[in-house]
């Protein structure tokens, strides 16, 4: 027989044999990951809705309303891609794409590649200030972080300092929320492409530990529990719970790695099991909080309560650091499910880095945001930003201090005034001025830039400095900023801050669960 004819017949027979081989035979050849891929081709497509969206918020993201924006909803902000610093539309699209993915690898694309360990330093905000002498403080130095907006812009792109600072604060917290939401979306995606059924009766559960581990591939997860359950209905609506417990090995710049433990719980009430466009939910997140090569291991806990309507997304976020001995039951309220707001010194449990946020946005991420943070229980005040942005690409931002009376969480995220001299020797009542820093904003080429600034003050009790009255002799060194003009040696400064009564911002109403 001619060699070419023989080869042709052989290839045809091989093709026929391959095509007639059963799916069962293919499964035994491919193993579990092969089953995952087959589930995709057999029952899923990008157009097929994921029924597990009833348990996972599809069009939800925690982000700053003044974050640098994508040019389109399908693009992302490259510099912050792996660190939580993305705008609302970009994050929302990642969640939606992950839930409708058709391959295991794409199920995990909403999870950040890096677990953020530190906040970015913002060059325009809160510098450390040293003086030759200052009669209203002990010593000659004010520590960094309490001096507010020191310059109008940050970096080289003209971003408003108010936007840059609050973006940095929120991206640190939202990175952890992104991990939780991305992990839940991956679980829902893996369940979908493996033909799992959404739990239909109270007490029923889909266990995904093995399937999730196999689908994660190179994501380097270690999973102890991954499950989606149906709880008892609430208010006539189905209630679902997603639980994930495990750890992930995370890369660091420079080739190092560290492992982060994660304890995630999400409870969600959709309008119905088939109508997932409106919903409300609760997220609880606990991770270890340890810098690489550090022995100071603590817990970072976060709660998120959210509610989505056809036109509006509202959510509140509370986050803090706790001692490692603190249990989840101590950190989260048994009635609301939210993080306990009282500090360790006042009968609660948190002892550092307390953060509180309430936001309400439209489907494009424009809206209102109130954010406050407190370094430790000794402060008694939250450093607070209020911001509002509109679809006309304009906005307003205020900075000041909001009292956290007794550190019990009985605060209003609307700043009442300003401490121009936080570390002064006078009584706080004498140093607290009913004034705020203010920037009006304009969105230009995706960046929120300042239009009008009311930020200048002197670091004194009354926020002013007359050069003839030597409250301080002048700056010993210029703060670590360029072009500083707010305070200079022997120059009079009259503050241009706005009266706190001019802040007409209303803090959005925080949603509740259930």
């Amino acid at each position: 027989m001619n060699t070419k004819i023989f080869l042709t017949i052989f290839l045809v027979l091989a093709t026929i044999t391959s095509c007639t081989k059963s799916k069962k035979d293919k499964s035994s050849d491919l193993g579990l990951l092969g089953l995952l891929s087959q589930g995709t081709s057999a029952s899923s497509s990008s157009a097929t809705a994921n029924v597990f969206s009833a348990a996972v918020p599809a069009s939800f993201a925690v982000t700053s309303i003044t974050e640098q924006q994508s040019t389109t909803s399908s693009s992302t902000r490259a510099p912050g891609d792996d660190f939580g610093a993305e705008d609302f539309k970009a994050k929302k699209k990642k969640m939606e794409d992950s839930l409708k993915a058709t391959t295991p690898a794409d199920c995990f694309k909403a999870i950040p590649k890096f677990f953020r360990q530190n906040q970015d330093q913002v060059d325009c905000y809160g510098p450390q200030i040293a003086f030759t002498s200052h009669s209203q403080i002990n010593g000659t130095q004010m520590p960094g972080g309490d001096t507010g907006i020191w310059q109008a812009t940050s970096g080289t792109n003209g971003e408003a300092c108010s936007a840059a600072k609050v973006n940095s604060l929120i991206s640190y917290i939202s990175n952890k929320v992104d991990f939780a939401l991305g992990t839940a979306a991956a679980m829902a995606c893996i369940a979908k492409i493996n033909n799992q059924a959404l739990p239909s009766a109270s007490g029923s559960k889909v266990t995904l530990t093995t399937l999730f581990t196999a689908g994660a591939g190179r994501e380097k997860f270690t999973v102890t529990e991954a499950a989606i359950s149906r709880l008892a209905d609430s208010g006539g609506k189905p209630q679902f719970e997603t639980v994930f417990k495990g750890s992930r090995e995370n890369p660091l710049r420079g080739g190092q790695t560290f492992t982060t433990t994660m304890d995630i719980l999400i409870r969600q009430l959709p309008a119905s099991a088939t109508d997932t466009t409106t919903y409300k939910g609760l997220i609880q997140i606990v991770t270890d909080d340890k810098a690489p090569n550090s022995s100071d291991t603590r817990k970072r806990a976060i709660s998120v309560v959210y509610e989505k309507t056809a036109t509006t997304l509202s959510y509140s976020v509370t986050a803090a650091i706790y001692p490692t001995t603190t249990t989840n039951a101590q950190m989260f309220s048994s009635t609301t499910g939210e993080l306990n707001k009282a500090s360790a010194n006042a009968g609660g449990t948190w002892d550092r880095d307390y953060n509180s946020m309430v936001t309400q946005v439209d489907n494009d991420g424009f809206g209102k945001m109130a954010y406050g943070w407190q370094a430790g229980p000794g402060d008694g005040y939250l450093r607070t930003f209020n911001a509002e942005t509109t679809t006309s690409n304009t906005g307003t931002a205020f900075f000041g201090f909001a009292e956290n009376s007794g550190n019990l969480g009985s605060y209003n995220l609307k700043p009442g005034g300003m401490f121009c001299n936080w570390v002064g020797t006078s009584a706080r009542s004498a140093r607290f001025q009913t004034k705020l820093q203010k920037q009006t904003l304009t969105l230009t080429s995706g960046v929120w830039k300042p239009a009008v600034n009311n930020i200048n003050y002197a670091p004194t009790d009354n926020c002013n400095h007359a050069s003839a009255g030597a409250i301080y002799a002048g700056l010993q060194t210029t703060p670590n900023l360029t072009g500083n003009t707010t305070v200079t040696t022997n120059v009079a400064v009259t503050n241009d801050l706005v009266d706190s009564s001019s802040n007409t911002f209303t803090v959005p109403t925080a949603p509740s669960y259930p």
Side-chain angles (χ1 to χ4, degrees):
M1 181 184 293
N2 183 283
T3 302
K4 290 184 178 180
I5 295 175
F6 173 82
L7 288 174
T8 300
I9 294 172
F10 175 81
L11 290 172
V12 170
L13 290 172
T15 301
I16 293 172
T17 301
S18 175
C19 291
T20 56
K21 193 173 185 179
S22 70
K23 286 185 179 180
K24 182 177 179 181
D25 290 334
K26 286 184 179 181
S27 299
S28 63
D29 289 344
L30 294 172
L32 183 57
L33 285 176
L35 282 170
L36 290 172
S37 298
Q38 278 212 34
T40 302
S41 60
S43 62
S44 301
S45 70
S46 60
T48 303
N50 188 340
V51 296
F52 285 88
S53 294
V56 179
S59 301
F60 172 55
V62 170
T63 189
S64 170
I65 64 171
T66 56
E67 185 57 74
Q68 295 181 33
Q69 294 200 354
S70 308
T71 55
T72 68
S73 61
S74 61
S75 66
T76 58
R77 179 192 178 201
D81 184 34
D82 296 323
F83 292 93
E86 290 176 291
D87 72 293
F88 179 73
K89 289 190 292 185
K91 284 192 178 186
K92 185 172 70 170
K93 186 175 187 302
K94 279 189 174 182
M95 281 292 292
E96 292 169 345
D97 287 351
S98 180
L99 284 167
K100 67 182 182 182
T102 58
T103 65
D106 286 343
C107 289
F108 290 80
K109 287 194 172 180
I111 303 175
K113 295 177 183 177
F114 294 91
F115 196 85
R116 191 179 183 121
Q117 287 294 296
N118 300 294
Q119 292 179 10
D120 288 335
Q121 296 299 312
V122 179
D123 58 3
C124 62
Y125 176 89
Q128 178 176 295
I129 303 175
F131 303 91
T132 302
S133 64
H134 196 309
S135 63
Q136 294 181 345
I137 65 174
N138 284 324
T140 58
Q141 183 171 287
M142 289 186 178
D146 298 316
T147 48
I149 300 172
W150 200 254
Q151 285 185 313
T153 62
S154 174
T156 59
N157 63 358
E159 184 176 25
C161 186
S162 54
K165 178 59 179 177
V166 79
N167 292 351
S168 173
L169 289 163
I170 293 175
S171 64
Y172 180 62
I173 299 298
S174 67
N175 173 258
K176 279 74 173 171
V177 179
D178 292 349
F179 261 88
L181 290 173
T183 300
M187 289 172 59
C189 178
I190 290 294
K192 171 197 170 187
I193 66 177
N194 279 275
N195 303 312
Q196 301 296 306
L198 180 71
S200 59
S202 177
S204 58
K205 176 190 293 188
V206 175
T207 300
L208 298 165
T209 306
T210 301
L211 292 173
F212 185 96
T213 302
R218 297 180 180 179
E219 292 290 330
K220 298 184 177 180
F221 276 95
T222 299
V223 186
T224 57
E225 182 179 357
I228 299 176
S229 306
R230 178 77 176 258
L231 305 180
D233 290 359
S234 177
K237 296 179 180 180
Q239 183 176 201
F240 298 91
E241 181 178 86
T242 300
V243 173
F244 179 89
K245 295 180 181 181
S247 62
R248 193 183 103 161
E249 182 181 302
N250 300 280
L252 287 172
R253 290 168 180 168
Q256 294 179 306
T257 62
F258 72 100
T259 299
T260 300
T261 61
M262 293 177 285
D263 188 342
I264 300 165
L265 180 146
I266 299 176
R267 289 180 181 156
Q268 180 157 297
L269 282 171
S272 71
T274 56
D275 180 1
T276 60
T277 58
T278 61
Y279 47 78
K280 63 191 311 186
L282 165 72
I283 305 172
Q284 295 178 349
I285 306 165
V286 179
T287 69
D288 52 359
D289 194 276
K290 176 185 175 182
N293 303 318
S294 171
S295 59
D296 184 18
T297 302
R298 308 183 74 78
K299 288 183 179 180
R300 165 81 67 179
I302 303 170
S303 67
V304 184
V305 178
Y306 57 91
E307 184 169 7
K308 177 72 171 67
T309 69
T311 58
T312 305
L313 171 67
S314 302
Y315 59 89
S316 62
V317 181
T318 312
I321 290 179
Y322 297 78
T324 53
T325 55
T326 313
T327 65
N328 286 19
Q330 291 172 314
M331 290 185 283
F332 298 102
S333 167
S334 59
T335 55
T336 67
E338 296 183 71
L339 208 65
N340 289 319
K341 296 183 177 181
S343 73
N345 287 357
T349 53
W350 70 267
D351 67 357
R352 67 175 77 172
D353 197 19
Y354 180 82
N355 296 258
S356 180
M357 175 185 184
V358 181
T359 296
Q360 185 179 77
V361 294
D362 62 18
N363 290 326
D364 290 321
F366 294 97
K368 292 183 175 183
M369 170 184 68
Y371 192 101
W373 75 100
Q374 188 173 324
D379 286 2
Y381 281 83
L382 298 166
R383 286 77 178 148
T384 307
F385 278 99
N386 292 166
E388 184 170 4
T389 58
T390 71
T391 54
S392 60
N393 295 336
T394 60
T396 308
F398 293 90
F399 171 79
F401 290 71
E403 185 176 4
N404 184 4
S405 180
N407 298 305
L408 292 171
S410 55
Y411 53 79
N412 185 333
L413 283 177
K414 183 172 181 177
M418 183 80 176
F419 285 103
C420 297
N421 182 13
W422 171 252
V423 295
T425 54
S426 302
R428 282 190 176 181
S429 58
R431 290 179 283 118
F432 188 74
Q433 303 294 316
T434 55
K435 298 179 181 294
L436 301 173
Q437 292 185 308
K438 177 183 179 181
Q439 289 188 301
T440 58
L441 311 173
T442 303
L443 185 62
T444 306
S445 300
V447 178
W448 289 99
K449 298 182 179 182
V452 179
N453 299 294
N454 295 100
I455 61 173
N456 288 340
Y457 70 91
T460 63
D461 290 355
N462 66 2
C463 305
N464 300 318
H465 174 240
S467 58
I471 298 171
Y472 58 85
L475 295 178
Q476 187 175 24
T477 57
T478 301
N480 187 27
L481 301 169
T482 58
N484 169 52
T485 58
T486 303
V487 179
T488 56
T489 304
N490 300 321
V491 172
V493 176
T494 301
N495 78 82
D496 64 0
L497 308 178
V498 301
D499 193 272
S500 58
S501 63
S502 68
N503 180 6
T504 58
F505 178 90
T506 56
V507 177
T509 301
S512 60
Y513 188 86

